[in-house]
Amino acid sequence: MWTYFTDTDTDITPEVAREYGYKLISMPYSVDAKNIYPFVDYEKYDSHAFYDSLRGGVLPTTSAISEEEYIRYFEPEFAAGNDIMYVHFSAAMTMTFNNMNKALEMLKAKYPERKFIGIDTKGITIVSYLIVREIGDMLKSGSTPEEIEEWAKTEVDHYSQYFFADDLKFFRRSGRVGGIAATMGGLIGIRPIIYMSQEGKMESIGKEKGRIKAMDALLKYVEDLGDDIKGHRFIVGHTDAEDLAKEFGAMLKEKFGDDLEIEYVVTNPTAGSHCGPNGVGVAFHSKRR
């Protein structure tokens, strides 16, 4: 028997996790030196309150979870005779997966007959959300973990994410985005355009003056790279900017047709600690990243 895990950095909520039978690993953020675990320390994510606190000057930090925490998630499954498949956010973005690998090394020595399959979405937030749901659909349709592992070797790179940040101070502090220094320029109103690379890293690929031009840039990426976008979920994410996200959704429908089905997703607080409020992004099936 297999047990399926994902994590909160994929934007998956407990409700969506239950839909597919995923167990949810909580990725923490820290405010005033106190670690907060989404959906563990609270049942419901009040995204507006969280992003309002950032608008008010709160600057959360994030950190890797420990080997011991991974053991607490995984060992009960191995001890019960279950194998594990974990569909997770990008391993290239954090040291947390070094801790996970150390935990797995210990557990495999104790439970040598057990299997573990890790599926790296090479993303975070909405592109990971999109892949986790697509894999969930495959599981519902009867695909095996081994078949999904093989599918992921090529298909993960056919899901793209592009977004813009509204306030550069969050990325300036986090240091998580390659090329961001060249984007900043100290100009008021500049929105960096960021994407998830094939290596699973956030990279700045341009800048626009103002939100409308930033949304135009996102639309152009969808137009240039989109592949069978109506045959897959189409996700618009935001950091407490629902009106702006809906405005971008209207632009997408004007370009691709009113029958384009869009799911709107609010960014989880751990990733949102790096992005800051008022940002918008899009995830879709694509020719390449």
Side-chain angles (χ1 to χ4, degrees):
M1 182 174 174
W2 286 84
T3 299
Y4 305 102
F5 282 90
T6 188
D7 57 67
T8 55
D9 271 356
T10 67
D11 284 341
I12 294 292
T13 62
E15 293 79 13
V16 176
R18 283 192 293 270
E19 178 184 342
Y20 294 110
Y22 286 112
K23 293 193 173 185
L24 199 56
I25 295 176
S26 182
M27 295 293 172
Y29 59 99
S30 181
V31 176
D32 296 329
K34 178 185 177 183
N35 278 345
I36 302 170
Y37 288 80
F39 306 116
V40 173
D41 291 329
Y42 51 78
E43 185 175 341
K44 191 76 175 175
Y45 170 35
D46 187 341
S47 57
H48 178 65
F50 172 76
Y51 286 109
D52 249 8
S53 73
L54 271 58
R55 294 182 183 103
V58 171
L59 291 173
T61 58
T62 61
S63 58
I65 66 176
S66 66
E67 295 173 45
E68 292 74 21
E69 288 175 286
Y70 279 112
I71 289 171
R72 283 197 292 271
Y73 280 112
F74 294 154
E75 185 163 23
E77 302 303 328
F78 284 162
N82 298 329
D83 298 320
I84 291 172
M85 185 175 80
Y86 174 21
V87 189
H88 57 78
F89 78 103
S90 176
M93 295 186 65
T94 173
M95 294 293 290
T96 195
F97 294 104
N98 290 345
N99 294 341
M100 183 189 78
N101 290 334
K102 290 176 184 176
L104 285 170
E105 187 176 345
M106 294 170 59
L107 290 171
K108 286 179 179 179
K110 191 173 179 180
Y111 305 95
E113 72 283 7
R114 297 276 57 85
K115 298 176 184 176
F116 178 90
I117 293 176
I119 305 293
D120 188 345
T121 62
K122 298 184 183 180
I124 196 168
T125 71
I126 53 175
V127 72
S128 297
Y129 178 91
L130 181 53
I131 294 169
V132 170
R133 292 204 71 166
E134 298 266 308
I135 288 174
D137 288 340
M138 293 172 70
L139 289 169
K140 281 185 171 183
S141 297
S143 296
T144 67
E146 291 86 359
E147 288 169 340
I148 291 169
E149 182 180 32
E150 193 62 29
W151 172 90
K153 289 177 182 177
T154 55
E155 286 304 305
V156 161
D157 290 331
H158 287 280
Y159 292 86
S160 290
Q161 174 178 341
Y162 289 80
F163 66 99
F164 69 83
D166 196 65
D167 191 333
L168 295 171
K169 71 181 179 185
F170 295 94
F171 279 128
R172 182 186 293 118
R173 185 179 53 85
S174 76
R176 293 293 180 94
V177 181
I180 196 71
T183 298
M184 291 177 180
L187 298 175
I188 296 173
I190 289 295
R191 270 81 182 174
I193 307 299
I194 297 161
Y195 86 119
M196 294 302 310
S197 73
Q198 194 167 345
E199 292 72 38
K201 296 180 180 180
M202 286 192 290
E203 298 285 346
S204 175
I205 55 170
K207 57 187 177 183
E208 298 294 338
K209 187 73 178 289
R211 293 172 178 170
I212 297 301
K213 287 186 177 179
M215 289 194 292
D216 284 339
L218 297 188
L219 184 64
K220 186 68 164 58
Y221 281 114
V222 178
E223 188 176 8
D224 289 348
L225 293 175
D227 177 54
D228 189 26
I229 57 176
K230 290 185 180 180
H232 299 78
R233 284 183 176 81
F234 200 97
I235 312 296
V236 172
H238 63 93
T239 52
D240 196 38
E242 185 175 7
D243 289 347
L244 200 60
K246 292 289 180 67
E247 184 178 345
F248 181 60
M251 292 168 64
L252 288 165
K253 289 194 172 188
E254 183 178 355
K255 173 65 68 173
F256 299 106
D258 285 338
D259 60 337
L260 182 66
E261 294 186 13
I262 302 172
E263 183 176 354
Y264 295 91
V265 175
V266 63
T267 302
N268 71 82
T270 311
S273 298
H274 298 284
C275 303
N278 306 323
V280 171
V282 60
F284 56 98
H285 191 260
S286 57
K287 299 168 188 172
R288 58 173 175 80
R289 288 208 174 185

